[in-house]
Amino acid sequence: MTRDATHDVTNQAPPLAGHDVSADQALLEGLAREGADWATGELRRLGLLAGSEKAQEWGRLANEHPPVLRTHDRYGNRIDEVEFHPAWHELMSVAVGNGLHASPWTSARPGAHVARAAKFFVWSQVEAGHGCPISMTYAAVAALRHSPSLRAEWEPLLASRTYDFGLRPPLEKRGVLAGMAMTEKQGGSDVRAGTTRAEPLGDGSFALTGHKWFNSAPMCDAFLVLAQAPRGLSCFLLPRVLPDGTRNAMRLMRLKDKLGNRSNASAEVEYDGATAFLVGEEGRGVRTIIEMVNMTRLDCVTGSAAGMRQGLSQALHHARHRSAFGRPLADQPLMRAVLADLALESEAATTLMTRLAGATDRAVAGDAAEGLFRRAALAAAKYWICKRAPVHAAEALECLGGNGYVEESQMPRLFRESPLNGIWEGSGNVAALDLMRVLAREPEAVEAFFAEVARAGDHRVGDAAERVLKTLASAGEADARRVAEEMTLVLQASLLVRHAPAPVADAFCASRLGGDWGRAFGTLPAGLDLEPILERAASA
Ligand SMILES: Cc1cc2nc3c(=O)[nH]c(=O)nc-3n(C[C@H](O)[C@H](O)[C@H](O)COP(=O)(O)OP(=O)(O)OC[C@H]3O[C@@H](n4cnc5c(N)ncnc54)[C@H](O)[C@@H]3O)c2cc1C
C-alpha cells in the first residue's frame, strides 16, 4: 500500500446533481389537478436546470459573496447602490426569464398562477434568497391594479421577461422589479403605528419623509410603501429613479447582517422628501397593500414547501449512498421511519401549496367561493407550513450526519433560510390571529374551508374536523396557534385522502390527526406501510 492510499475516499455520497428537481410526483400531480398540466414541459426544463451543477454553483456563489452596499461614489456623492455577485444576476435572469416574477398577470390561461407557483417551488430549491424580489414583483402587480394609471405605466415593465439590472429611469428599462416597504423601527406587525409621513405636493404626487427598518431587495426599481397621508395610512408607489433620471431621495443606511437569506440584500432606508404616487384610496393603505401581502403569503407557503422537498431529496439521496453497520442507511428501519415521516410532511405541504395556488388562480378569475376558501386556508397554512419548515430542515440535515452540518452540503443554508417565511408577511402569531379574525368575521370563508375538508368523505378526517369545529366556538386569541395548526392538518389530511396514494393518506391521518401532536419526526405509529411512501418520494 502506498502512502497515498490512506486517503482513499469510500462510503461518501456523490453530490446530488444532474437530476430533475421537478421529478416530484406530488408536485406534478398537483400541477395537473389544478389545471396547469400544459406547463409540465416548461417545468421539467426548469427542473433540469435547477438540478444542474451550474445552477447549484450560482446558488453557492451568490451566498458566499453576499451583496455589498455602496453609499457613495469615489467623490463623495451619494449613490445608494448595492453590488451583487454575477451569480445573483444569473439566478435572477433565469427567474425573470421564466416568468416567476409576473407570468400569470399577462396570461388569462387557467392554471397560470399554479404553473408559476410550481416553477417558483422548483427554482427556489436552487437558491431561496433571490426569490424575495421575484415574489415581491409578482405580488406588487395585484396591489398596483388599484391604480389604473400607474398600472398602465408599470405593469408591462413589471411583466417583462427581461432582467435589466441597474438604477435608470424605469420607463427606459426593458424590465423592472418591485419591492415592499412597510416595517418600521417601532413596529412591523402593527403597521398602523408607522410614522413615515406623506405630504401632497399638489400635482398628484406626495413627498415621503421617514424611514423603513426592513426594505429587502433595495435595488428594485420601485417599492410599495405605507405612509401617513392627511387622510390616514396610505399605500404609495415610490420609484428609485425619477423620470428625469435623478435618484429619488431614498437613502440606504445599511444592510442587515442576517441569519440566512444572505444572497439577498435587506436594507434600512430613509426617505428625505422622496417622491411617491398614491396607489388605491388615500387612507386605505392597509386594504391596498394587503393585496400584495396575500400573494407573498402564498409564496411563503410555496417557499417553505420547496425547502422541505429540497431537504427530503438531499436526505433520501444521502441515505441511499451511505452505509453504516454494514447496510445502506436507506435500508435501516429507523432511518426509513424518519425518511417516510419527512416525505409525508413534504407531500402534505406540496399538495396544500398546489391547492392554494389553484384557489388563487380561480379567485383572480372571479370565483368567489374559491376566494373565500383561500382566505381561511392561506392564513392557516401561512402559519403552519412555515412553522414546520425549520424542524423539517433540522431533521433532514441530521440525516446527513456531520456532513449535513457542513456548508458544502447546502444543508446549513437550507436550515438558516427555514425560519424566514415564518417571520415576514405576518409572523407566526400574526398569521394565526389573522385566521381568528376570519373565524370571527367571515363565516362564509369558514364554511368554504370546512366544505373543502368534507369533500374527502372520510371518517378520520370528518371526526377530526368535528373536534376542531367544537373547539372553535370557545377559542380565544391565546388558542390561535392551536386552531391554525389543527385546521391546516385536517385540510392537509383531506387533500391527501382525495389525491395521494392510500398509504400516504393513511400514515398522515394516523400520525397527524390524533391530537397528541408534538413528537419528533420518525415516530409514526406502528403497523403503517412505509414502503410506498418512500418509493413515491424517491421517484417521479
Ligand atoms: C430578512 C427579512 C427581510 C424583510 N424584508 C422586509 C421588506 O422587504 N419589507 C418589509 O416591509 N418588511 C420586511 N421584513 C420585516 C418583517 O415583515 C417583519 O420583521 C415582521 O412583519 C415582524 O415585524 P417586527 O419585526 O416589527 O416584529 P414585531 O411586530 O415587533 O413582532 C414581534 C413578535 O411579536 C409577535 N406579535 C406581534 N403582534 C402580536 C399580537 N398581537 N399578539 C401576539 N403576538 C404578536 C409577532 O408574531 C412576533 O413574533 C423583513 C424581515 C426579515 C427578517
Side-chain angles (χ1 to χ4, degrees):
M1 181 188 280
T2 65
R3 290 176 71 140
D4 287 342
T6 61
H7 296 285
D8 277 356
V9 177
T10 60
N11 198 26
Q12 286 279 4
L16 175 56
H19 63 300
D20 177 358
V21 174
S22 73
D24 173 342
Q25 291 202 350
L27 177 71
L28 294 172
E29 289 167 18
L31 185 80
R33 196 166 54 240
E34 300 297 336
D37 48 355
W38 50 264
T40 307
E42 296 165 31
L43 185 69
R44 302 220 71 149
R45 275 192 293 282
L46 189 63
L48 281 169
L49 181 58
S52 69
E53 273 179 37
K54 178 173 73 173
Q56 291 186 21
E57 185 65 356
W58 291 338
R60 182 185 73 78
L61 289 168
N63 281 273
E64 284 192 7
H65 302 277
V68 177
L69 174 62
R70 305 270 177 229
T71 51
H72 297 80
D73 69 9
R74 60 191 285 205
Y75 304 107
N77 301 302
R78 277 209 82 116
I79 54 170
D80 298 286
E81 290 193 13
V82 181
E83 235 171 54
F84 291 87
H85 189 274
W88 165 269
H89 298 303
E90 298 282 4
L91 291 163
M92 291 292 291
S93 289
V94 173
V96 172
N98 279 274
L100 273 59
H101 68 307
S103 56
W105 304 118
T106 55
S107 160
R109 194 167 190 180
H113 288 273
V114 181
R116 183 257 160 204
K119 287 189 191 171
F120 187 76
F121 177 93
V122 161
W123 192 240
S124 299
Q125 293 180 53
V126 175
E127 203 288 314
H130 78 290
C132 170
I134 293 300
S135 186
M136 289 195 295
T137 303
Y138 164 60
V141 174
L144 212 54
R145 290 188 164 185
H146 281 261
S147 176
S149 58
L150 289 174
R151 176 189 175 179
E153 207 169 57
W154 285 82
E155 200 171 303
L157 289 164
L158 289 165
S160 156
R161 297 249 181 148
T162 305
Y163 172 60
D164 190 1
F165 181 79
L167 298 184
R168 299 193 299 285
L171 302 184
E172 292 172 17
K173 293 185 71 173
R174 289 173 298 149
V176 300
L177 296 170
M180 160 169 53
M182 297 192 290
T183 309
E184 298 192 0
K185 293 189 183 82
Q186 73 286 344
S189 309
D190 186 5
V191 288
R192 290 183 194 279
T195 59
T196 297
R197 294 189 325 274
E199 285 159 34
L201 294 175
D203 61 356
S205 66
F206 286 72
L208 266 53
T209 306
H211 78 279
K212 295 291 165 184
W213 186 229
F214 279 90
N215 184 338
S216 288
M219 287 301 280
C220 283
D221 299 279
F223 300 89
L224 289 191
V225 179
L226 285 181
Q228 304 286 358
R231 289 196 204 116
L233 193 65
S234 307
C235 178
F236 295 92
L237 181 82
L238 188 151
R240 282 239 34 209
V241 178
L242 297 171
D244 64 4
T246 55
R247 293 191 176 183
N248 208 350
M250 169 179 155
R251 316 268 183 250
L252 309 191
M253 308 311 287
R254 53 176 183 161
L255 297 186
K256 302 287 193 187
D257 183 8
K258 296 175 288 187
L259 167 68
N261 198 250
R262 297 186 70 81
S263 64
N264 181 30
S266 298
E268 295 166 15
V269 306
E270 288 184 7
Y271 309 125
D272 184 9
T275 304
F277 305 92
L278 186 66
V279 183
E281 240 180 280
E282 190 178 331
R284 309 298 295 268
V286 173
R287 202 178 137 142
T288 306
I289 211 159
I290 208 76
E291 300 273 356
M292 179 170 185
V293 173
N294 265 328
M295 292 295 175
T296 46
R297 280 184 181 168
L298 173 65
D299 278 5
C300 291
V301 172
T302 307
S304 292
M308 288 189 210
R309 177 66 211 183
Q310 184 187 348
L312 172 66
S313 300
Q314 294 285 354
L316 287 168
H317 175 78
H318 184 84
R320 259 199 310 274
H321 291 93
R322 176 87 164 179
S323 291
F325 304 100
R327 269 194 299 175
L329 289 172
D331 293 344
Q332 316 253 4
L334 187 51
M335 181 56 96
R336 295 177 71 72
V338 172
L339 293 170
D341 213 353
L342 290 173
L344 279 184
E345 195 71 25
S346 166
E347 173 146 6
T350 304
T351 304
L352 179 49
M353 175 281 277
T354 51
R355 176 67 186 89
L356 287 169
T360 302
D361 211 69
R362 292 182 280 276
V364 168
D367 183 333
E370 283 289 274
L372 288 167
F373 163 72
R374 185 186 189 276
R375 173 72 186 100
L378 182 57
K382 161 70 173 81
Y383 169 75
W384 182 240
I385 306 270
C386 298
K387 192 60 62 199
R388 293 298 284 162
V391 276
H392 192 281
E395 199 62 68
L397 179 156
E398 193 176 314
C399 290
L400 275 70
N403 284 358
Y405 204 72
V406 173
E407 288 294 334
E408 287 160 325
S409 72
Q410 300 181 15
M411 300 306 273
R413 173 146 59 92
L414 176 70
F415 182 62
R416 285 194 301 268
E417 190 75 21
S418 63
L420 183 52
N421 283 316
I423 294 173
W424 57 16
E425 313 307 330
S427 305
N429 287 354
V430 172
L433 289 171
D434 186 39
L435 177 64
M436 296 307 277
R437 250 190 312 279
V438 177
L439 296 174
R441 298 185 200 157
E442 300 178 59
E444 288 177 332
V446 184
E447 239 169 68
F449 180 94
F450 283 100
E452 172 79 11
V453 169
R455 289 175 73 187
D458 180 274
H459 70 92
R460 296 161 301 181
V461 178
D463 293 350
E466 277 299 311
R467 285 197 297 276
V468 176
L469 274 164
K470 266 192 204 132
T471 64
L472 292 189
S474 57
E477 266 193 35
D479 306 306
R481 281 181 173 231
R482 192 164 44 77
V483 168
E485 173 178 330
E486 289 178 358
M487 281 179 64
T488 312
L489 288 172
V490 290
L491 178 59
Q492 287 179 311
S494 146
L495 292 170
L496 292 178
V497 164
R498 286 167 62 202
H499 306 306
V504 172
D506 291 348
F508 192 87
C509 290
S511 56
R512 268 76 165 167
L513 296 183
D516 64 345
W517 194 229
R519 294 175 188 269
F521 283 108
T523 54
L524 293 170
L528 293 166
D529 184 6
L530 304 188
E531 196 60 39
I533 301 173
L534 290 165
E535 265 176 28
R536 180 170 165 82
S539 67

